[in-house]
Amino acid sequence: MANIASARKRARQAETNRQRNMATRSRFRTAVKKVLKAVRAGDKDGAASAYQAAVPVIDKTVTKGIIHANKAARHKSRLNARIRQM
C-alpha cells in the first residue's frame, strides 16, 4: 500500500476510474449482445431498434477512451451487415 498521501489519493482515483470503465465496457457489451440476440432470433425490426440503441452506447464508449474508434466502427459495421443480411 502507498505511504505518501498523493499516492494514496492516486490509488483511490485509479479504483474509481476502474469501476467507471468496467461499467461503461459492460454497457457496451450488453448493447452489442442485444443486437446479436435479436439477429439470431430472426427479429429484423427488433434487431434494427436494438442497433439504433447500441450506436450511441458504442460511440460513448469511444468518447470515454474505453475502446478505440476503429474497434467501434468495426462493431457497428458488422452489426449493420448482419441486420441487412436478414
Side-chain angles (χ1 to χ4, degrees), residues 40-56:
R40 286 193 200 101
D43 181 13
K44 187 166 184 170
D45 293 333
S49 63
Y51 177 76
Q52 290 299 319
V55 169

Side-chain angles (χ1 to χ4, degrees), residues 10-11 16 20 36:
R10 230 344 151 182
T16 303
R20 192 176 299 126
L36 293 176

Side-chain angles (χ1 to χ4, degrees), residues 6-8 11 20-22 27 33 39 42-43 50 63 72 75:
S6 61
R8 285 195 294 264
R20 192 176 299 126
N21 291 343
M22 282 179 18
R27 213 169 289 122
K33 285 179 187 176
V39 168
D43 181 13
T63 306
H75 274 281

